[in-house]
Amino acid sequence: MILPFLEMECWTLLCQPAVAMGISVFILAGLLVHCVFLVSIFDIYFSSPLVHGMTPQQTPLPPPAKRLVLFVADGLRADSLYKLNSNSTPPAPYLRSILENNGSWGISHTRVPTESRPGHVALIAGFYEDVSAVAKGWKENPVEFDSVFNESKYTWSWGSPDILPMFAKGATGDHVYTFCYTAESEDFGAQDAAELDMWVFDHVKSFFNSSRSNQTLFSALNEEKVVLFLHLLGIDTNGHAHRPNSREYKENIKKVDEGIKEIALMIDNFYGNDGKTAFILTSDHGMTDWGTHGAGHPSETLTPLIVWGAGVNYPQRVSSQKFEDNLLKEWKLENLKRLDVNQADVAPLMASLIGVPFPLNSVGTLPLEYLNNSAHFKAESMFTNAVQIVEQFKVKMSQKRETTLSFLFTPFKPLSDSEQINYLKKARLYIQQQKYDEAISLCKTLINLALEGLSYYHTYDRLFLGLSIATSFVGWTTYVILVIIKTHTNLTKAVQTNNKESTVLFYGFAFVGMIIAFFLLIQTCPWTYYIYCLLPVPVWYAVVKELPVIQDLAANLLSHNMVQSVGFIFICILGIEILVFSFFYRSTLTLGLLVFAGWPVITQLWAQAKTNASIWTLLCVLLAIFPLMPVVGREPNIPLVIATGLLTLLISCFSLASLCKTKNKYRNKEDLKVYFYQMLSIALSTYVVSSTHDSLKNKQGLPLLNQIISWMTLVSSSVLPLLSSTFLIQRLFSILLSLMSTYLLLSTGYEALFPLVLSGLMFVWINMEQEALQRYGLSLKPKLAVFNFTYTTDITQFRQLHLDDVRRSFFFVFFIVTAFFGTGNIASVNSFDPASVYCFLTVFSPFMMGSLLLLKVVIPFVLVSCAFEAIQVTTQLSSKRYSKCYISASVRVSNLFCKNSELPNLNLSLKTKANQTRNPAQTKPSRSHCYFYLLLRFWFLFNDFYKLRNSFCTVK
């Protein structure tokens, strides 16, 4: 119950007078408000779509198959299976012969996120993953769900410990059995990953052999409604380690093809070729050419589907087919009918083949063209499918009706209660009259309406809650700006507080809050709704209390030259729009950096400091190259990483030589020791990168010594800077060396150079800001080389904010965005390349790997933030003033960004092929970008606490 506490605290804090509110209270209020914003994203957009309380629905006619064998080749792309080799031979001869002579085939279209867990849930349970499962590493679902395995008589499964246990855990009774290899076997760097698939095939064979001497097992295997599930992870592991176009990936496909052939023949022989076994081969997701998955590129969303055996149609010869893509011609399959499905449609297909109830939460539509059965069976199966989805719709509608006042409830009109009855009665009548085609068509219409209705009720409160959060967001933004103007500028004059008006205002807002709370109470809304709907009350109360400040500000602005005011506002909006567009197109950052390169010329700093200005321009141009490069991970270049390590060592040597020439006053032996340790760390990191790459290339695994060095480097990188010199430039350089040693270990290509160039620009930025101060008559310019940040600061030298501080704040936010998007975006965390963490571990561990990749993303943030802290200290500006200034800048940027973006529901299908083929780094903002926005906002607040501590420690 943390959110009610946060709400109460927000009201208490924001009701304090702005003048009396200190920086610590201000930051605490900001943290509380932003905690609500963070939780609201998951509560509004990522709530579970699952409902419970439905009645299981089963086709009343006898099924065509007694048993089903499901092969899931993890990470298998459609083109990798269907496309012929350069010598016109199929990569999987047995499966090719099946689709040409014995079964039906097509493409199974997956949805984002294209990960193993969501893909298997869609295949086996028939719904698209509850996104809150990401908090459990896609290994468990926080909400229980039904599946084909649960509805079966018996299910035996073999494969990965990351996939199988989740279906056994959610099953009712003791009828889902799993056989897994150890988690340590999932090693990206050691043995050939095809051995994982060989393990599965060998254990399936031994399982059937052992059943001949085990009467209980033999009897169970001969029951009806039996499922055998073979999860084949080797292809995915080889794809990550060696890329999908590698020899290892293709050979793995061939081994899987041979294994499937052996298993299919063995099972047919075991059951005496009774013709009652159905086989399905598919994949949970595909893979990009650079060995990743998670996003929406066609190579990730297009997976193969081959179905054969009992109850399945034979190949259908056609003269022509109409598809938007040219895949049929590329695959030489123009004359075989291609039957595409959505991934969730596979679950009802399996249920129909073996006659088990459709999974209760399934949203898949039965693909009838795969079935080789009577029209009556198809119509009954389709009717069962429709009733099963309508059951979910009715439960969802009932839940929403119970929590909404009757006069406010707006039902889904296309499928009212009477319409549901009419559709079902009419469909049943068609079946009784043997008008099967009409019944099937009507059931499909009913299914589409029910799915629309499910989406309607699932997002029923989204607009209402979204407006509440948006109102709070705008109110908080306004309040921050007003506090800055009132306390740190001379734009307003002091106003005497009228206690009577304040009391009336307080009780007025309190009354509004009580009305909102009562309104929510009588609707029995969830307790989180109280937080989202009541938060705007204290926020806007704090804003309205500052009405005199707004009036003074308006009068002040009107007294200035209108042209200059409009010009300044236009420049601000243009700068913010550049930042917004950088979320859409990384190349926008290049444009911004090129503009930054001309800043010294525009502001006449060129004549004042030609050397610094020249270096600034050069480094801006160099940094502008990175956003134009491909997203990190696509083109590994280990020699470039090694070269970057050597370059860092060379720069360190020059810096050390320069330090040794200085007077003893500015160095001591302890500082030199730390310096040497950091140089040694850089050298070891360079060696580890080279050695690990060679070892993995030779399939010898990750050397233990390299792993130990990597983890020790990671730990020491957070400690050594604290032991370094307290002189400003030396401390900053120490931070760079420590972070570079870790960043090198996490690099696979050109991105290794990025923090080096970025840090160089930050050092020059610090010097340039010193030069810029001269235009404001501040002659107390400190010598950066001897500036010690531990010295006490004379509070009388702190200055007020001026217009140039807005420019500094914008620079900071722009550099933060560049630090994040310079070499990629959050998709590189979601659809990451495991090669980035091979120096630390090669055994699959989603949370550990994700944490290391997040660290890699944060390192450039730290470099920029440290530089900005140095600028704040050396430009004689109070932490309180500057922290609020850049919070305001970030607020305006993120606020405008949120207005230009949206948080798509992950249950929505991918739109058009054009959207799918777009560069993942250039797609429109998604939930991942909002995570970045939240990370950015909390990063600012974290820095405030650090600055606050410094201000208390250094001000005398």
Side-chain angles (χ1 to χ4, degrees):
M1 300 293 286
I2 188 172
L3 283 181
F5 170 74
L6 296 179
E7 175 71 24
M8 181 178 67
E9 286 295 313
C10 285
W11 177 267
T12 304
L13 294 173
L14 293 175
C15 287
Q16 298 183 36
V19 176
M21 183 182 290
I23 182 66
S24 57
V25 179
F26 178 80
I27 295 173
L28 180 58
L31 276 175
L32 297 176
V33 169
H34 282 76
C35 281
V36 175
F37 292 161
L38 176 63
V39 174
S40 71
I41 288 179
F42 293 93
D43 208 18
I44 297 173
Y45 292 96
F46 296 154
S47 58
S48 174
L50 302 185
V51 292
H52 299 87
M54 293 80 67
T55 304
Q57 303 295 326
Q58 183 177 352
T59 304
L61 300 179
K66 288 185 176 180
R67 67 201 69 90
L68 172 79
V69 183
L70 173 63
F71 302 97
V72 177
D74 205 306
L76 177 61
R77 292 164 38 150
D79 60 343
S80 297
L81 181 65
Y82 294 141
K83 187 178 180 180
L84 299 179
N85 296 324
S86 56
N87 58 1
S88 298
T89 60
Y94 174 72
L95 291 172
R96 183 78 176 198
S97 68
I98 289 293
L99 70 88
E100 289 179 348
N101 304 301
N102 302 99
S104 297
W105 77 283
I107 292 177
S108 172
H109 295 265
T110 69
R111 293 188 183 180
V112 177
T114 47
E115 301 287 352
S116 292
R117 156 77 199 213
H120 281 88
V121 169
L123 289 170
I124 299 166
F127 71 92
Y128 298 102
E129 179 67 289
D130 176 5
V131 292
S132 58
V134 70
K136 299 195 174 185
W138 300 117
K139 291 185 177 181
E140 294 182 38
N141 198 311
V143 182
E144 291 186 4
F145 62 90
D146 193 22
S147 69
V148 174
F149 294 175
N150 186 45
E151 298 291 352
S152 67
K153 181 79 172 181
Y154 294 105
T155 293
W156 288 275
S157 55
W158 297 264
S160 168
D162 297 322
I163 298 298
L164 305 188
M166 66 184 178
F167 292 103
K169 181 178 179 180
T172 56
D174 186 21
H175 66 280
V176 178
Y177 304 99
T178 62
F179 304 92
C180 307
Y181 38 74
T182 62
E184 290 72 23
S185 302
E186 300 177 17
D187 194 330
F188 293 111
Q191 61 182 358
D192 183 3
E195 294 299 321
L196 298 176
D197 299 335
M198 296 302 102
W199 185 97
V200 172
F201 294 135
D202 291 342
H203 278 71
V204 173
K205 294 174 187 176
S206 63
F207 174 79
F208 273 88
N209 290 333
S210 66
S211 69
R212 298 184 187 278
S213 58
N214 185 332
Q215 187 58 42
T216 304
L217 178 58
F218 185 84
S219 300
L221 283 170
N222 281 278
E223 293 278 358
E224 295 182 350
K225 303 177 181 178
V226 167
V227 178
L228 303 170
F229 172 41
L230 283 71
H231 177 237
L232 308 170
L233 185 63
I235 294 175
D236 180 76
T237 307
N238 270 322
H240 283 307
H242 306 289
R243 308 294 185 263
N245 293 320
S246 65
R247 175 181 57 83
E248 291 83 357
Y249 187 86
K250 294 177 180 178
E251 287 184 354
N252 203 152
I253 293 176
K254 189 174 181 180
K255 289 181 179 180
V256 165
D257 180 66
E258 294 170 352
I260 291 175
K261 179 181 179 180
E262 294 175 3
I263 295 297
L265 291 174
M266 181 199 68
I267 290 176
D268 284 339
N269 291 334
F270 181 85
Y271 290 106
N273 294 302
D274 63 353
K276 291 294 184 179
T277 307
F279 298 90
I280 294 180
L281 177 280
T282 188
S283 176
D284 53 348
H285 57 75
M287 187 171 290
T288 61
D289 290 338
W290 50 95
T292 67
H293 56 81
H297 192 274
S299 61
E300 299 168 90
T301 60
L302 303 184
T303 59
L305 177 62
I306 302 176
V307 188
W308 72 99
V312 180
N313 257 333
Y314 285 94
Q316 303 174 52
R317 306 286 173 176
V318 294
S319 57
S320 64
Q321 302 183 68
K322 292 183 179 180
F323 286 94
E324 294 181 0
D325 52 56
N326 294 319
L327 297 177
L328 288 172
K329 185 176 181 180
E330 183 181 340
W331 298 340
K332 309 297 182 185
L333 292 170
E334 306 99 312
N335 298 323
L336 290 175
K337 190 171 184 180
R338 169 179 151 187
L339 307 173
D340 285 13
V341 302
N342 291 321
Q343 194 172 47
D345 298 341
V346 177
L349 175 62
M350 292 191 291
S352 178
L353 286 172
I354 60 176
V356 300
F358 285 43
L360 294 175
N361 301 113
S362 172
V363 294
T365 303
L366 178 63
L368 293 176
E369 290 183 295
Y370 277 89
L371 296 179
N372 181 18
N373 215 315
S374 65
H376 184 201
F377 180 86
K378 292 180 180 180
E380 286 286 1
S381 297
M382 207 69 200
F383 182 81
T384 303
N385 193 183
V387 172
Q388 171 260 324
I389 294 179
V390 169
E391 282 280 324
Q392 295 182 70
F393 170 81
K394 291 165 66 175
V395 171
K396 197 80 172 178
M397 179 179 65
S398 175
Q399 289 179 352
K400 189 51 58 183
R401 180 177 284 161
E402 290 174 359
T403 59
T404 308
L405 293 177
S406 57
F407 67 91
L408 292 177
F409 180 71
T410 305
F412 183 65
K413 295 180 180 179
L415 201 58
S416 61
D417 292 339
S418 59
E419 286 294 321
Q420 296 173 38
I421 296 173
N422 289 338
Y423 271 109
L424 294 174
K425 282 185 176 180
K426 198 171 183 180
R428 175 50 64 190
L429 181 62
Y430 279 144
I431 293 175
Q432 292 172 352
Q433 295 174 349
Q434 298 185 2
K435 297 179 180 180
Y436 300 125
D437 290 339
E438 289 85 345
I440 290 171
S441 177
L442 192 64
C443 288
K444 287 183 177 179
T445 302
L446 178 57
I447 287 173
N448 291 332
L449 287 174
L451 291 176
E452 288 180 20
L454 279 172
S455 177
Y456 172 80
Y457 286 119
H458 182 63
T459 60
Y460 190 85
D461 293 329
R462 182 169 295 178
L463 178 62
F464 164 63
L465 296 176
L467 288 174
S468 296
I469 293 298
T471 303
S472 300
F473 194 95
V474 173
W476 174 254
T477 302
T478 306
Y479 179 70
V480 169
I481 295 173
L482 291 176
V483 169
I484 293 172
I485 291 172
K486 182 174 182 178
T487 58
H488 301 302
T489 69
N490 297 319
L491 298 178
T492 60
K493 50 189 177 181
V495 179
Q496 190 68 29
T497 303
N498 190 318
N499 293 330
K500 185 177 181 179
E501 291 180 0
S502 298
T503 303
V504 172
L505 193 63
F506 175 82
Y507 283 112
F509 273 89
F511 178 74
V512 171
M514 292 173 61
I515 294 296
I516 295 173
F518 176 76
F519 181 77
L520 296 173
L521 181 64
I522 60 177
Q523 294 190 97
T524 63
C525 291
W527 61 270
T528 52
Y529 282 34
Y530 289 81
I531 309 302
Y532 307 141
C533 297
L534 289 174
L535 182 60
V537 177
V539 170
W540 279 100
Y541 169 72
V543 172
V544 174
K545 283 189 67 177
E546 305 298 336
L547 185 60
V549 178
I550 300 175
Q551 294 172 341
D552 285 349
L553 178 62
N556 193 294
L557 290 176
L558 292 174
S559 66
H560 285 77
N561 187 302
M562 188 60 65
V563 176
Q564 290 181 351
S565 299
V566 171
F568 176 73
I569 294 173
F570 173 77
I571 292 174
C572 289
I573 293 175
L574 180 63
I576 293 174
E577 281 295 338
I578 289 176
L579 285 177
V580 172
F581 271 96
S582 69
F583 287 84
F584 294 75
Y585 309 101
R586 289 171 57 225
S587 56
T588 308
L589 295 172
T590 298
L591 176 63
L593 288 167
L594 292 178
V595 173
F596 280 14
W599 169 55
V601 178
I602 298 172
T603 58
Q604 299 179 352
L605 284 173
W606 180 271
Q608 187 176 336
K610 290 185 178 180
T611 302
N612 284 333
S614 300
I615 299 174
W616 165 271
T617 301
L618 174 63
L619 291 174
C620 280
V621 172
L622 288 177
L623 194 63
I625 297 173
F626 286 93
L628 300 177
M629 301 287 284
V631 175
V632 165
R634 298 192 182 186
E635 299 177 6
N637 192 336
I638 298 300
L640 184 58
V641 178
I642 297 171
T644 303
L646 296 176
L647 177 61
T648 307
L649 274 177
L650 182 62
I651 295 173
S652 302
C653 291
F654 279 114
S655 177
L656 180 61
S658 174
L659 180 63
C660 291
K661 291 179 182 179
T662 59
K663 299 178 181 179
N664 292 332
K665 179 181 177 181
Y666 305 128
R667 62 179 173 86
N668 57 56
K669 291 182 179 181
E670 295 300 322
D671 295 340
L672 292 178
K673 285 182 181 179
V674 173
Y675 206 82
F676 279 120
Y677 286 143
Q678 291 178 315
M679 291 178 64
L680 177 62
S681 182
I682 293 289
L684 287 174
S685 295
T686 305
Y687 163 76
V688 167
V689 170
S690 176
S691 174
T692 301
H693 174 71
D694 292 339
S695 179
L696 296 179
K697 188 176 181 181
N698 296 326
K699 297 184 179 180
Q700 296 175 351
L702 172 61
L704 180 60
L705 178 62
N706 290 11
Q707 190 174 22
I708 292 173
I709 293 174
S710 298
W711 286 105
M712 289 181 63
T713 300
L714 176 61
V715 173
S716 64
S717 65
S718 60
V719 176
L720 288 177
L722 302 178
L723 305 176
S724 64
S725 171
T726 56
F727 289 101
L728 184 64
I729 298 300
Q730 294 179 32
R731 172 60 68 92
L732 289 176
F733 194 73
S734 174
I735 293 173
L736 169 62
L737 291 182
S738 289
L739 296 180
M740 271 301 294
S741 61
T742 300
Y743 200 86
L744 285 171
L745 294 171
L746 294 168
S747 298
T748 60
Y750 75 87
E751 81 273 17
L753 281 168
F754 181 71
L756 207 57
V757 177
L758 180 65
S759 296
L761 185 60
M762 294 300 99
F763 279 109
V764 179
W765 184 29
I766 295 171
N767 284 277
M768 291 293 288
E769 292 296 351
Q770 293 298 300
E771 301 294 341
L773 280 178
Q774 303 304 304
R775 290 183 299 160
Y776 293 91
L778 298 175
S779 58
L780 298 175
K781 175 185 171 183
K783 293 182 178 180
L784 295 178
V786 298
F787 189 91
N788 193 321
F789 61 84
T790 60
Y791 292 167
T792 56
T793 304
D794 186 357
I795 195 172
T796 60
Q797 294 185 5
F798 285 156
R799 58 182 176 82
Q800 288 279 66
L801 292 171
H802 50 64
L803 205 56
D804 209 35
D805 290 314
V806 177
R807 190 263 309 158
R808 288 190 184 93
S809 298
F810 177 78
F811 271 29
F812 171 66
V813 176
F814 188 91
F815 285 135
I816 282 288
V817 175
T818 302
F820 190 86
F821 289 100
T823 58
N825 59 15
I826 196 67
S828 62
V829 174
N830 182 30
S831 128
F832 67 89
D833 180 8
S836 296
V837 300
Y838 282 172
C839 291
F840 294 90
L841 74 164
T842 54
V843 176
F844 181 66
S845 176
F847 275 119
M848 185 60 69
M849 288 179 167
S851 299
L852 289 170
L853 288 163
L854 187 60
L855 173 64
K856 181 180 179 181
V857 172
V858 166
I859 283 175
F861 279 27
V862 176
L863 295 174
V864 175
S865 296
C866 289
F868 190 70
E869 168 70 5
I871 289 172
Q872 174 213 310
V873 172
T874 57
T875 55
Q876 303 158 334
L877 192 63
S878 168
S879 296
K880 299 180 181 180
R881 293 171 183 167
Y882 227 147
S883 61
K884 289 181 181 178
C885 184
Y886 71 73
I887 285 177
S888 176
S890 71
V891 162
R892 283 175 284 180
V893 172
S894 54
N895 187 29
L896 187 58
F897 163 67
C898 287
K899 293 177 182 177
N900 285 275
S901 66
E902 58 183 28
L903 284 165
N905 186 346
L906 292 187
N907 290 331
L908 296 178
S909 60
L910 297 175
K911 299 293 182 183
T912 62
K913 184 173 184 290
N915 287 336
Q916 291 177 332
T917 55
R918 207 185 288 173
N919 187 326
Q922 295 181 342
T923 55
K924 76 177 187 176
S926 65
R927 66 189 179 97
S928 301
H929 295 102
C930 285
Y931 293 152
F932 161 69
Y933 143 70
L934 287 165
L935 176 63
L936 180 64
R937 298 295 298 275
F938 277 106
W939 183 264
F940 292 147
L941 292 168
F942 172 79
N943 273 274
D944 285 335
F945 281 116
Y946 176 75
K947 293 172 175 31
L948 178 64
R949 180 184 65 81
N950 283 347
S951 66
F952 287 153
C953 294
T954 60
V955 175
K956 67 179 180 179

